[in-house]
Amino acid sequence: MTENDTFDLLADRYLRGELTQSEQEELATLLETDASLVGRLKGQLLIDGVLKQAGTGRGPLPSDLLTPLVSGVQEFRRPQSRPPRWQRPRPLLFAVTGVASLLAAIVLILWFSCGLLPSIQSGKPLVRQPARLVAGHFGEKNSDFNCDAVATITQLENVVWKQGSPRHASGAIISPGWIRIESGSVTLEFFCGAQVRLVGPADFMAVTRDLGYCSRGVLTAAVPPQAIGFTIDAPQMTVIDRGTEFLLDVTSELSQVQVLKGAVELDQIPSGLKQLREGEGMLVSSDGQVKAFSGDVIAANLRATEKGTDLELRCARRNEVRSRLDQEPETLIHFDMKPEEGTTLSNRASSGRSLVGEGTRVRCDWGAGSLPHTSSLGFRRVADRVRILVPQELNSFSLFTRVRLDSFDRESSSLLTSDEIRRCGLAWQLTRHASEDSPVLRLDVYDEMSGQICHYDAVLPLTTNDLGQWFSLATVVDSQSNRVCHYLNGTLLCQQERMHTSPVRIGFAELGNAASTEGGGDYLMKTLGGAMDEFVLTARTLSGEELDQLN
C-alpha cells in the first residue's frame, strides 16, 4: 500500500469517526511530513460537510469537523468521538473519496480566491439560505464568476463608492456581485421587476433575478405583482415579499424590517416563520432577541440618513410648486403616478378633474420614482400607455414631464401623441436627427390654416451616460410672444418662432405611446422605452423658474 493509499484510508476513517489512537498518530505523522496532504484533507473535510448538509438539511458543519482547520495538525492526536448517526457518511462518500484529490483542488481555489472557508470558520452556516451560500462564493469583484445579469442600475444619487469596490454607471447591467457605497443612494431594478433603493453606507449583493443579500445599510424595496416572492436576505432574517413595499435596516448588531404596503414573510428568525402586514415591523438582534414594533421607525431613520443632502430641499420645493399648480384653474392635467388599484390614473389638478377627467392606465407597471417615496409608470411594451381626452382648444400651453430612458437608439420615443395627429392635435416625442448623435426633443403641431405639421426641435445634450437617470423635459408654447421654448432640467435649451397660427386641439391622446392608425408612418406604435414619474399640462405658459422648481 502506497503512502497516498494509506492517507486516503486514514482520512476516510477519520471522517467516519472510526480512527483508533494509533491511527490518529499515524495520520498526524503523515500530515507533518507532507504539507500537500494538509490541503487534501481540508478539501475532503469541506466536501464531506457539504454532502452531509445537502443530504440532511441539518444546519452548520459540526464544530469537531472544523477543528483541524483552526488548530493545526496537532489536533489529530486527540481522541475523536463517534459522531451521531445522522452525521455518518452515506455510501455516496465512498465514490467521492476516489475523486477527492480533484475536488479538493477545486475547493482550494475557492479557499484562496473567494474566501469561502473563512466564512465557515466565522460560525455562519454555509447552506442555511441561498443568498448566504452564493455570497460566500463571491469576493469583492463582480467578475469572479461568469453569471447571467440580474439587475440594472436605474439611478445614482450623490454616490461615494467604497474604496476598492466596483464602480457602476447609471444604466449599467449588473451581474451577481457586491455593490458597496459609503454615501448617497443607488436604485436597482431587478429583472423580475422589483426595485431596490440603497442608502449608504451600504453593502448589498445582487444574487439572482429575484434575490438580494444586504449585510449593511438601509434600503427600500418596491415589488410589483409580477415579482411576488422577491427575497432579500440579511444576517439575522430573510424577507420574502408577498406583494408589498418595505424598508429594511441592517447593521452588525441587528436587522429590522417595516412593511409600508402589503405583506411580507420573515424566515430564518428565532421565533420561526412570521408574517407582517402594513405598518408592522420586526427587529432581530445578533444575539437572537426578537421584538415587534409598529409605526414609522425605520422610515424616520431613513430620513435622518438623507437629512443634510439636497433631497429634502428638492422634495419640499417640488411639493410646493405642485400644490400651487393643482389649485390653478389653468392646470388641466397633473399625474404624479401614485400607484392605485384598477386602471384609473388620478388627475391631481382640481379644475382639471372636471374639464379633462382622469387618465386610463393600460398595462403599465409601477416602479420607483426620481426621489425617495415617489413612484413612476413604465412604458416598455407596445401595449403600455395612458389614455386621456383633452377637449379644449389651446393657444398658449405648457407640457412638462420627468422621464428615465433605457436607450437612445429608437427612432422615436413618444411622450404625448394625439390619435389624429394628421388632422389635428400634436405629437410630443424624443426622436433622432439625421446629423445628430444625441436625442432630439420634438413638438409636432398640426396647423389647420396651412394643413401642415409644424416641427419644433431641440437637440438634448445627453449621452449614453445619462441612460437610466431621471431628467425633466418641458415645452412651452406662448401665443403672446409667438415663441416655442424647449427646456431640459429647468434650463432653457432653445426658443423658436411659432409657425402654426391656429389653436391646438389635443383631443384623444396617449402618454408614453403613439398608436395612430392613419396610414402608418412616423406615428405608428412608438413606445417611450423607459419610465415617467410625472406629467403636467397647463393652459398657460410656465416660467423657467417654475420648471426648475418642478425638476
Side-chain angles (χ1 to χ4, degrees):
M1 182 179 294
T2 66
E3 181 179 294
N4 283 335
D5 293 336
T6 302
F7 169 77
D8 289 338
L9 177 62
L10 293 175
D12 180 59
R13 288 180 58 77
Y14 170 68
L15 294 174
R16 295 166 57 187
E18 298 176 354
L19 279 181
T20 64
Q21 183 66 36
S22 61
E23 288 173 333
Q24 291 181 39
E25 294 287 344
E26 184 178 1
L27 178 59
T29 301
L30 288 174
L31 294 172
E32 289 172 342
T33 56
D34 189 347
S36 65
L37 296 179
V38 176
R40 287 177 57 184
L41 183 60
K42 288 179 180 179
Q44 292 189 35
L45 286 169
L46 183 59
I47 292 168
D48 184 62
V50 172
L51 286 174
K52 287 174 182 176
Q53 287 179 310
T56 64
R58 288 182 180 249
L61 303 176
S63 58
D64 62 329
L65 190 64
L66 297 177
T67 300
L69 303 183
V70 180
S71 304
V73 298
Q74 293 301 321
E75 293 292 336
F76 287 105
R77 300 185 183 277
R78 298 183 182 181
Q80 303 293 321
S81 61
R82 184 179 181 84
R85 184 176 184 82
W86 67 268
Q87 292 182 357
R88 297 177 193 174
R90 306 294 189 267
L92 178 61
L93 184 60
F94 293 97
V96 173
T97 304
V99 293
S101 298
L102 177 61
L103 293 179
I106 297 174
V107 172
L108 286 175
I109 293 174
L110 295 176
W111 168 286
F112 290 110
S113 64
C114 302
L116 176 60
L117 212 51
S119 67
I120 301 175
Q121 293 175 350
S122 67
K124 294 184 179 179
L126 177 64
V127 195
R128 192 165 76 87
Q129 298 170 27
R132 288 195 177 88
L133 175 62
V134 179
H137 282 264
F138 285 94
E140 296 296 317
K141 299 179 181 180
N142 290 4
S143 59
D144 287 346
F145 282 74
N146 183 19
C147 299
D148 293 336
V150 298
T152 302
I153 290 185
T154 58
Q155 186 178 3
L156 300 174
E157 185 80 33
N158 301 324
V159 173
V160 176
W161 299 97
K162 186 175 181 180
Q163 186 175 6
S165 66
R167 286 163 167 73
H168 307 282
S170 182
I173 305 297
I174 301 300
S175 295
W178 285 104
I179 296 173
R180 302 183 187 272
I181 59 174
E182 293 295 349
S183 61
S185 67
V186 175
T187 301
L188 293 169
E189 183 170 343
F190 281 76
F191 287 172
C192 69
Q195 293 198 347
V196 173
R197 179 174 178 269
L198 309 171
V199 178
D203 296 314
F204 182 85
M205 175 180 287
V207 182
T208 69
R209 299 184 177 204
D210 58 1
L211 175 64
Y213 174 76
C214 182
S215 62
R216 179 182 66 148
V218 180
L219 65 83
T220 59
V223 185
Q226 70 270 20
I228 287 178
F230 177 75
T231 301
I232 292 185
D233 195 12
Q236 284 84 35
M237 65 172 66
T238 297
V239 184
I240 306 170
D241 160 74
R242 291 294 176 244
T244 187
E245 182 177 348
F246 62 89
L247 285 160
L248 182 65
D249 188 358
V250 180
T251 68
S252 59
E253 301 298 326
L254 56 87
S255 298
Q256 52 183 341
V257 64
Q258 178 184 349
V259 182
L260 302 179
K261 183 180 179 181
V264 302
E265 284 183 357
L266 299 186
D267 199 1
Q268 306 296 337
I269 59 176
S271 58
L273 190 67
K274 174 74 174 178
Q275 187 174 79
L276 300 180
R277 298 194 176 275
E278 185 170 333
E280 297 178 335
M282 182 74 72
L283 180 152
V284 181
S285 63
S286 57
D287 58 4
Q289 296 185 18
V290 179
K291 178 181 179 182
F293 64 87
S294 60
D296 203 22
V297 177
I298 306 179
N301 293 343
L302 181 61
R303 286 194 295 270
T305 302
E306 295 172 342
K307 192 173 183 180
T309 69
D310 64 344
L311 289 177
E312 285 191 341
L313 178 60
R314 288 175 60 190
C315 288
R317 186 176 61 180
R318 187 184 292 182
N319 290 335
E320 180 182 351
V321 69
R322 274 177 170 178
S323 299
R324 187 174 68 250
L325 286 174
D326 288 349
Q327 302 306 315
E328 290 185 1
E330 295 88 357
T331 304
L332 302 179
I333 296 176
H334 177 204
F335 296 141
D336 61 2
M337 312 306 179
K338 184 177 180 181
E340 48 194 311
E341 298 295 333
T343 60
T344 298
L345 185 63
S346 295
N347 186 356
R348 307 300 176 186
S350 299
S351 62
R353 285 192 291 270
S354 59
L355 295 174
V356 173
E358 314 284 11
T360 301
R361 178 176 60 90
V362 181
R363 292 214 45 189
C364 315
D365 296 327
W366 302 110
S370 58
L371 289 179
H373 318 305
T374 63
S375 52
S376 66
L377 275 180
F379 299 89
R380 295 180 176 84
R381 300 162 295 201
V382 294
D384 294 342
R385 63 196 69 211
V386 173
R387 293 285 297 172
I388 62 173
L389 169 62
V390 184
Q392 292 82 3
E393 289 190 347
L394 304 173
N395 287 302
S396 295
F397 61 93
S398 301
L399 296 163
F400 172 89
T401 190
R402 193 176 304 103
V403 296
R404 188 191 71 225
L405 297 182
D406 298 331
S407 68
F408 290 152
D409 59 357
R410 299 184 179 216
E411 288 299 319
S412 178
S413 297
S414 177
L415 300 171
L416 171 67
T417 303
S418 299
D419 286 359
E420 300 181 345
I421 177 61
R422 299 185 186 280
R423 288 204 299 263
C424 65
L426 58 76
W428 193 40
Q429 60 186 322
L430 292 170
T431 184
R432 299 189 66 84
H433 194 280
S435 61
E436 298 288 348
D437 292 330
S438 299
V440 174
L441 178 61
R442 166 175 288 182
L443 176 67
D444 289 349
V445 177
Y446 179 81
D447 183 28
E448 290 189 26
M449 295 295 294
S450 63
Q452 301 294 321
I453 295 178
C454 301
H455 304 290
Y456 304 97
D457 290 355
V459 177
L460 300 176
L462 300 176
T463 68
T464 54
N465 291 331
D466 297 297
L467 291 174
Q469 300 197 50
W470 290 98
F471 54 89
S472 67
L473 301 170
T475 299
V476 177
V477 176
D478 189 346
S479 61
Q480 298 297 318
S481 64
N482 211 35
R483 292 288 180 183
V484 176
C485 301
H486 291 296
Y487 293 82
L488 172 65
N489 294 330
T491 301
L492 178 64
L493 289 177
C494 71
Q495 54 181 341
Q496 301 165 265
E497 183 179 355
R498 189 175 71 127
M499 296 177 287
H500 66 278
T501 57
S502 58
V504 175
R505 290 185 288 114
I506 296 176
F508 286 100
E510 294 181 346
L511 291 182
N513 216 317
S516 173
T517 58
E518 297 184 20
D522 294 339
Y523 301 100
L524 182 61
M525 289 301 181
K526 297 194 175 176
T527 309
L528 175 62
M532 182 183 296
D533 84 340
E534 191 162 27
F535 177 83
V536 176
L537 168 64
T538 66
R540 72 169 179 88
T541 59
L542 292 177
S543 67
E545 181 180 0
E546 290 175 308
L547 294 172
D548 181 56
Q549 291 173 338
L550 273 174
N551 176 46

